[in-house]
């Protein structure tokens, strides 16, 4: 495996942000009430992550290390505002249901974490691959979590089927905040079982 | 010394460039965002008021109504910062009411309310909520029928305050601040309408959609 594919694929399983490092919990717990929200949030975060990783890696020799975090935040914030504007212009209803959590991508630890841990020490291509992998991993995790919560909590899968798909009475609990923790716990456990049995 | 200069310069440069890029993007998306706000926020609120006059509509009928309302928007220049936007609500083809939006201070930011006034009497037809960022499940209940229906046909002289403050508005229990914001927004809209009634009514019959 070349290093580039390695940088890309590590975000999808070995270091998948939400389940392995347990970073980015705030959006993961707050917006994953429907599959559509989870996917939208993931895509928005991936866009910011790829762009900021690329740009920070490009500027890694220009930015003095004393003010690097301030520079990273400005760059990340600019991309987040750009995403917010684009979403409002072209995906209005999604931006309404994600609400405050779009601007809050600025403080998503995954993005600043990848900038600090990876992009500032590696080349542009590797950083782009890392950002894309981590972003897709985050999206995957959010979508799985959101699908589980929507299916169990509301009994629907709005993005795929228009109508209720769960025949039993849905547990409204999974739509609320405590349900988010329980659903995340179940997935984390599942993840650990899977990776143990693989060894 | 040189490193200080480099620190200041690089951070400033990044900030300025980001600002410029965002300014450009804002120019590009501004118009589309305004259209979206009109289509998905203001028009549905006017349609809520329209629905009070016609009774409940099926979702197809409602879509047709919202489509039709696009040509019922009017701008009236009152010498304020920008021309004021309002909508004409028709009953049997004739202008029956005007709807305009105003804001109240909610629990989290401004709460926008579209208020319909009967042209002839000045009484309230009803309201529709346009924008809010209230607490989901608590403050957002002001959007529900149980709360909104109390404003149907309210007299133009009604005291628009929640009962706790000596007014006539039934607040939702647990959401006094949001209820108060709705009352305040309605009161603002009414004051605006009373003050500019003539100019607004003059504009009712103008060609539809006169741009800003």
């Amino acid at each position: 495996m070349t290093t580039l594919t390695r940088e890309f694929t590590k975000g999808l399983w070995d270091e998948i942000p939400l389940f392995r490092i347990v970073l980015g919990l705030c959006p993961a717990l707050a917006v994953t009430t429907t599959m559509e929200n989870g996917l939208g949030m993931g895509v928005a975060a991936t866009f910011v992550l790829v762009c900021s990783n690329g740009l920070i890696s490009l500027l890694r020799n220009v930015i003095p290390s004393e003010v690097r975090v301030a520079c990273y935040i400005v760059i990340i914030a600019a991309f987040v505002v750009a995403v917010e504007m684009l979403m409002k212009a072209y995906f209005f209803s999604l931006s309404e249901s994600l609400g405050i959590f779009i601007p809050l991508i600025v403080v998503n630890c995954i993005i600043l974490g990848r900038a600090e841990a990876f992009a500032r020490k590696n080349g542009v291509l590797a950083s782009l691959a890392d950002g894309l992998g981590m972003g897709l991993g985050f999206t995957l995790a959010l979508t799985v979590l959101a699908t589980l919560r929507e299916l169990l909590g509301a009994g629907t899968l709005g993005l795929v089927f228009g109508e209720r798909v769960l025949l039993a009475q849905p547990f409204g609990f999974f739509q609320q905040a405590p349900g988010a923790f329980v659903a995340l716990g179940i997935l984390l456990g599942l993840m650990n079982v899977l990776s143990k049995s693989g060894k | 010394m040189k490193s200080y200069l480099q620190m200041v310069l690089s951070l400033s440069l990044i900030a300025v460039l980001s600002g410029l890029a965002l300014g450009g993007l804002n120019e590009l998306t501004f118009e589309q965002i305004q259209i979206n706000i009109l289509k998905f926020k203001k028009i549905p609120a006017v349609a809520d008021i329209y629905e009070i006059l016609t009774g409940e509509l099926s979702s197809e009928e409602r879509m047709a109504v919202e489509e039709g309302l696009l040509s019922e928007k009017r701008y009236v220049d009152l010498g304020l910062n920008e021309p004021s936007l309002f909508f004409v609500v028709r009953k049997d083809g004739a202008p029956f009411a005007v709807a305009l939006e105003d804001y109240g201070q909610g629990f989290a930011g401004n709460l926008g309310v579209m208020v319909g006034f009967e042209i002839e009497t000045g009484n309230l037809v009803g309201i529709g909520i346009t924008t809010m960022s209230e607490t989901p499940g608590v403050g957002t209940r002001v959007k529900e029928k149980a709360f909104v229906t109390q404003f149907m046909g309210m007299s133009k002289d009604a005291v628009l305050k929640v009962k706790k403050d000596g007014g006539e508005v039934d607040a939702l229990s647990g959401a006094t601040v949001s209820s108060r914001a709705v009352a305040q927004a309605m009161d603002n809209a009414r004051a605006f309408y009373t003050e500019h009634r003539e100019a607004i009514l003059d504009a009712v019959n103008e060609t539809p959609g006169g741009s800003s």
Side-chain angles (χ1 to χ4, degrees), chain A residues 12-191:
Chain A
L12 298 179
W13 183 264
D14 289 345
E15 293 178 30
I16 185 167
L18 191 59
F19 295 146
R20 290 285 191 213
I21 324 176
V22 200
L23 278 184
L25 275 186
C26 161
L29 297 175
V31 303
T32 52
T33 48
T34 68
M35 205 171 151
E36 192 186 354
N37 285 357
L39 193 63
M41 184 71 199
V43 172
T46 305
F47 176 81
V48 175
L49 188 54
V50 172
C51 294
S52 67
N53 249 14
L55 193 61
I56 285 166
S57 162
L58 197 68
L59 296 174
R60 68 185 188 282
N61 296 324
V62 186
I63 297 174
S65 65
E66 294 89 344
V67 290
R68 64 173 192 278
V69 173
C71 291
Y72 297 165
I73 289 290
V74 173
I75 291 170
I76 294 167
F79 282 118
V80 170
V81 177
V83 165
E84 196 189 0
M85 288 197 278
L86 289 172
M87 216 178 223
K88 270 198 174 138
Y90 302 108
F91 301 95
F92 193 77
S93 61
L94 183 63
S95 86
E96 280 299 303
S97 57
L98 292 178
I100 182 70
F101 293 101
I102 288 296
L104 281 181
I105 296 176
V106 176
V107 289
N108 189 322
C109 344
I110 298 170
I111 294 170
L112 190 61
R114 292 327 290 173
E116 179 75 16
F118 194 90
R120 86 181 168 101
K121 299 172 197 153
N122 291 281
V124 177
L125 272 181
S127 299
L128 286 176
D130 172 78
L132 192 64
M134 286 288 167
L136 288 181
F138 185 57
T139 309
L140 188 73
L142 283 191
T143 311
V144 170
L145 182 58
T147 307
L148 183 72
R149 284 183 67 195
E150 185 180 0
L151 191 64
L152 292 177
T156 57
L157 275 182
L159 209 60
V160 190
F161 311 102
E163 286 160 29
R164 260 182 66 175
V165 283
L166 190 71
L167 294 175
Q169 178 73 26
F171 317 96
F173 169 72
F174 277 102
Q175 285 279 301
Q176 288 157 1
F181 279 102
V182 172
L184 180 68
I186 294 172
L187 288 177
L188 280 175
L190 215 60
M191 183 94 189

Side-chain angles (χ1 to χ4, degrees), chain B residues 134-179:
Chain B
E134 304 301 291
T135 320
V138 184
T140 49
R141 284 182 299 147
V142 296
K143 215 174 171 137
E144 287 173 9
K145 279 221 162 64
F147 179 73
V148 171
T149 42
Q150 63 173 311
F151 302 111
M152 279 161 53
M154 205 175 223
S155 154
K156 64 175 172 185
D157 302 314
V159 185
L160 288 173
K161 281 180 183 169
V162 297
K163 284 194 170 146
K164 203 188 269 179
D165 301 339
E168 296 174 26
V169 176
D170 276 320
L172 283 169
S173 58
T176 312
V177 178
S178 307
S179 310

Side-chain angles (χ1 to χ4, degrees), chain B residues 80-103:
Chain B
L80 306 171
N81 285 338
E82 51 187 63
S84 310
L85 168 72
F86 72 94
F87 293 86
V88 181
V89 180
R90 289 171 193 275
K91 192 179 188 182
D92 305 325
F96 176 76
V98 295
L100 47 98
E101 189 187 16
D102 220 316
Y103 301 91

